[in-house]
């Protein structure tokens, strides 16, 4: 019993981490790692992507399918997936994508809608919830039916971002049609078969929130050298309807004339095989319609619904008890661990700070002593500096005096020599001046004497 409880607890913890729906960011081309679900890794073109987000659904570390989801209509525009062998149908809980409503959330995995109530801000703002279907005539149904996937990947197909509203109690609906088509096409194409299922919204919305599709569509591409394709359309007003069309015609009937496959995947439809598929599905629905009539059938169906409701209620109660017990135990363990870690951290911090504080105090004391010694030396220097300078000046006075004697003698000799030269120059100047005066006087006398004689001789003539 304890082992079973432990295993259940481990599953509760591990399940959310197995389911992941990565929202692609701006700048990433196509669907990034989920491009493998499109032939040639080329997603459809022409679909209006305003208010749409690209989601790459992953589980267990493997990619499962890709979805273009409209947050305006709360409806998947299309989902691309590969056919896989069907596993037994199993009841699953509906999953939501936390980051779609709360971009700041650090929860990267899909989680149970019931667990997200108190963990995701603005839950239901950008995606549909199961409560949107309550008290209405509609129920959610996967656009990419879980019956096409292997057992371990069926969980991912129960994401509410991959569901469309269908009428309650509908039999032989979309999932059944796609299952028959997938089984037949895999026989014709093999592993190169690519499937894209989509929904075209109508003007009617459930609770003015979730758009009811006008019709659902399925496009198949066999990406082989002899490529071929085909398309199917199912009107929501008639659950027994299923129309076969070419991929090119399907693109014309989609909003904006979108192109599902590049070059329409060869554009070579297999009309005979398509008619065979439609005929087989019609016969199966007719057989199911005959078997599903009569009061006995409805009584059995009512009892089955009641029994399933009782089982689901018991399961939800047990699930709630187990979850509360797990949260209580996990919360206690986490609180204990946090307390121990906090205590150890505080003690370690105090012990580590003791030697640091001791070294800091010793360093401050040494710095204080160094400052005191420096200031004492400064004061002593200021006290002894004047007498030392005075003594040095007295001691250096004779030196400066003796050294000045040659300079003074040189200056005196220069002065005496200058005086003698000045006297000599004065005598020479006086002599020269006297000579000039005598010469000038003699010259004047001679001029007069000579001039007088000449004037006398002229008169005699």
């Amino acid at each position: 019993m304890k082992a079973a409880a432990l295993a259940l607890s481990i599953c509760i913890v591990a399940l959310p981490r197995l389911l992941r729906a990565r929202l692609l960011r701006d700048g990433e081309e196509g669907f990034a790692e989920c491009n493998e679900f499109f032939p040639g890794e080329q997603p459809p073109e022409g679909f209006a992507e305003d208010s749409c987000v690209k989601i790459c659904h992953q589980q267990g570390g493997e990619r499962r399918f890709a979805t273009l989801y409209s947050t305006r209509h709360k409806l998947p525009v299309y989902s691309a997936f590969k056919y896989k062998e069907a596993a037994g149908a199993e009841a699953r809980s509906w999953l939501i994508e936390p980051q779609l409503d709360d971009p700041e959330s650090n929860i990267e995995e899909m989680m149970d809608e019931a667990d997200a109530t108190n963990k995701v801000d603005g839950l239901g703002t950008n995606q549909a919830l199961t409560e949107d279907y309550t008290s209405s005539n509609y129920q959610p149904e996967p656009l990419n039916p879980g019956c096409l996937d292997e057992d371990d990947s069926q969980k991912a197909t129960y994401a509410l971002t991959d569901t469309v509203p269908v009428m309650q109690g509908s039999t032989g609906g979309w999932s059944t049609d796609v299952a028959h088509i997938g089984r037949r096409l895999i026989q014709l194409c093999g592993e190169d078969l690519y499937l894209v299922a989509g929904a075209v919204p109508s003007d009617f919305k459930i609770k003015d929130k979730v758009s009811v599709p006008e019709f659902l569509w399925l496009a198949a591409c066999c990406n082989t050298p002899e490529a071929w394709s085909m398309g199917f359309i199912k009107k929501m007003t008639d659950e027994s309807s299923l129309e076969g069309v070419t991929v090119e015609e399907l693109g014309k009937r989609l909003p904006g004339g979108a192109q599902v496959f590049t070059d329409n995947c060869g554009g070579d439809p297999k009309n005979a095989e398509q008619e065979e598929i439609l005929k087989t599905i019609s016969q199966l629905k007719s057989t199911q319609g005959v078997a599903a009539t009569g009061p006995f059938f409805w009584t059995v169906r009512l009892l089955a619904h009641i029994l399933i409701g009782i089982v689901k209620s018991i399961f939800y109660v047990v699930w709630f008890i187990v979850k509360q017990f797990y949260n209580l135990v996990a919360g206690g363990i986490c609180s204990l661990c946090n307390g121990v870690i906090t205590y150890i951290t505080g003690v370690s911090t105090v012990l580590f700070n003791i030697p640091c504080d001791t070294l800091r105090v010793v360093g401050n004391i040494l710095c204080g002593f160094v400052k005191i010694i420096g200031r004492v030396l400064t004061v002593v220097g200021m006290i002894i500096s004047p007498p030392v300078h005075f003594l040095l000046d007295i001691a250096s006075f004779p030196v400066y005096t003796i050294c000045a004697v040659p300079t003074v003698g040189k200056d005196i000799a220069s002065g005496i020599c200058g005086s003698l030269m000045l006297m000599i120059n004065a005598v020479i100047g006086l002599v020269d001046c006297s000579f000039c005066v005598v010469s000038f006087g003699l010259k004047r006398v001679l001029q007069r004497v000579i001039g007088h004689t000449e004037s006398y001789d002229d008169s005699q003539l």
Side-chain angles (χ1 to χ4, degrees), residues 8-222:
L8 180 59
S9 300
I10 294 175
C11 290
I12 293 173
V13 176
L15 177 59
R17 299 189 179 277
L18 295 175
L19 303 175
R20 184 181 180 188
R22 188 174 81 83
L23 299 184
L24 275 72
R25 300 180 178 85
D26 294 338
E28 294 188 82
E29 295 185 2
F31 283 79
E33 63 268 26
C34 276
N35 283 335
E36 64 181 57
F37 295 107
F38 305 98
E41 297 190 352
Q42 296 295 323
E45 298 178 354
F47 288 93
E49 297 186 3
D50 294 339
S51 71
C52 289
V53 293
K54 299 176 182 178
I55 307 175
C56 179
H57 295 270
Q58 304 178 46
Q59 179 184 348
E62 296 185 12
R63 294 168 287 277
R64 299 302 180 182
F65 61 95
T67 299
L68 180 65
Y69 187 77
S70 172
T71 57
R72 174 187 175 189
H73 297 286
K74 310 295 187 297
L75 199 70
V77 179
Y78 62 77
S79 283
F81 50 95
K82 300 292 292 291
Y83 179 87
K84 294 180 180 179
E85 289 297 330
E90 182 180 348
R92 306 282 183 181
S93 57
W94 293 107
L95 306 171
I96 60 99
E97 166 51 46
Q99 292 188 343
L100 193 57
D101 289 328
D102 185 8
E104 303 298 328
S105 174
N106 57 1
I107 304 175
E108 296 184 355
E109 297 82 14
M110 288 189 292
M111 61 188 307
D112 194 303
E113 181 187 5
D115 296 334
T117 304
N118 298 324
K119 297 180 180 179
V120 179
D121 295 335
L123 184 63
T125 304
N126 294 317
Q127 62 185 311
L129 304 176
T130 53
E131 64 181 27
D132 299 327
Y133 294 89
T134 57
S135 302
S136 70
N137 296 324
Y138 295 89
Q139 64 186 21
E141 182 172 357
L143 185 61
N144 163 21
C147 60
L148 290 184
D149 294 325
E150 294 177 350
D151 186 42
D152 66 341
S153 63
Q154 275 193 353
K155 305 180 188 71
T157 62
Y158 279 79
L160 283 168
T161 52
D162 185 51
T163 59
V164 293
V166 298
M167 293 294 295
Q168 287 189 359
S170 61
T171 58
W174 175 252
S175 297
T176 305
D177 293 343
V178 176
H180 290 309
I181 295 171
R183 280 194 291 269
R184 179 55 181 149
L185 293 183
I186 199 66
Q187 296 174 355
L188 299 174
C189 182
E191 296 182 354
D192 295 317
L193 177 64
Y194 294 85
L195 298 174
V196 180
V200 175
S202 66
D203 296 331
F204 176 71
K205 290 186 177 182
I206 304 173
K207 297 183 179 180
D208 198 28
K209 183 177 180 181
V210 182
S211 296
V212 175
E214 180 180 346
F215 64 85
L216 303 179
W217 56 270
L218 177 70
C221 172
C222 183

Side-chain angles (χ1 to χ4, degrees), residues 159-285:
L160 283 168
T161 52
D162 185 51
T163 59
V164 293
V166 298
M167 293 294 295
Q168 287 189 359
S170 61
T171 58
W174 175 252
S175 297
T176 305
D177 293 343
V178 176
H180 290 309
I181 295 171
R183 280 194 291 269
R184 179 55 181 149
L185 293 183
I186 199 66
Q187 296 174 355
L188 299 174
C189 182
E191 296 182 354
D192 295 317
L193 177 64
Y194 294 85
L195 298 174
V196 180
V200 175
S202 66
D203 296 331
F204 176 71
K205 290 186 177 182
I206 304 173
K207 297 183 179 180
D208 198 28
K209 183 177 180 181
V210 182
S211 296
V212 175
E214 180 180 346
F215 64 85
L216 303 179
W217 56 270
L218 177 70
C221 172
C222 183
N223 192 31
T224 59
E226 300 80 18
W228 54 266
S229 61
M230 63 177 66
F232 299 88
I233 294 177
K234 184 180 185 64
K235 296 181 180 179
M236 300 303 293
T237 56
D238 183 7
E239 67 176 38
S240 63
S241 68
L242 188 64
E243 179 185 357
V245 295
T246 63
V247 173
E248 183 178 1
E249 183 181 351
L250 173 63
K252 294 178 180 179
R253 296 174 65 171
L254 294 176
Q259 187 176 33
V260 182
F261 301 123
T262 304
D263 297 330
N264 293 324
C265 189
D268 183 18
K270 286 185 173 293
N271 296 325
E273 289 79 359
Q274 191 176 36
E275 292 295 331
E276 176 194 350
I277 292 172
L278 293 173
K279 184 177 180 181
T280 301
I281 293 176
S282 178
Q283 292 175 351
L284 290 173
K285 288 184 178 180

